[in-house]
Amino acid sequence: MAAVQLISFGYLHGAAPAAHLTVDLRAHFRDPHVSPELRYMTAADALVRDVVRSTPGIRGLVAATARAVTAFASGPSAGEVTVAAGCAGGRHRAPTFVLLLAERLRAEGHEVSVTHLDLSLPVVER
């Protein structure tokens, strides 16, 4: 199986990193940031991961993204596949999505590395 690099980031901190596939989670999935009890937490907190994991559609997107990774990895010049996932601040949805995707891809036999670009940055007040 392929080597896969997964990157989470926040669009409010800058442009998306270079990737074969970029998943934008901002418009289609509720932002945990809007809940005061979750705002200052991150995907490192189980409660945030549970909220994002239970969001309708997120598991289907993880499955579809995993299929896309396999397709990229099957190409004639297959090498490392990079997937970037972004949300507004890079602290809730994107890193949780990346962790879910990493879990699935590892179960399928891929070698996966994970980088969270903005997880430890301060909350962006909006």
Side-chain angles (χ1 to χ4, degrees), residues 21 57-71 97 101 104:
L21 178 64
I58 204 78
R59 291 184 186 275
L61 185 58
V62 167
T65 306
R67 287 191 301 274
V69 166
T70 299
F97 177 83
L101 182 57
R104 178 165 183 138

Side-chain angles (χ1 to χ4, degrees), residues 6 15-16 22-23 34 47 56 63 66-67 84 93-96 102-103 105 111:
L6 303 178
T22 301
V23 180
V34 301
L47 182 57
R67 287 191 301 274
R93 293 168 289 180
T96 300
E103 182 180 308
L105 291 171
E111 181 181 322

Side-chain angles (χ1 to χ4, degrees), residues 12-13 31-42 45 88-92 118-126:
L12 294 174
H13 298 290
D31 188 355
H33 175 92
V34 301
S35 299
E37 70 275 11
L38 300 175
R39 180 167 300 144
Y40 296 97
M41 293 181 175
T42 70
D45 297 294
R91 295 170 46 91
H92 300 103
D118 302 324
L119 181 69
S120 62
L121 294 180
V123 170
V124 176
E125 299 297 341
R126 299 182 254 155

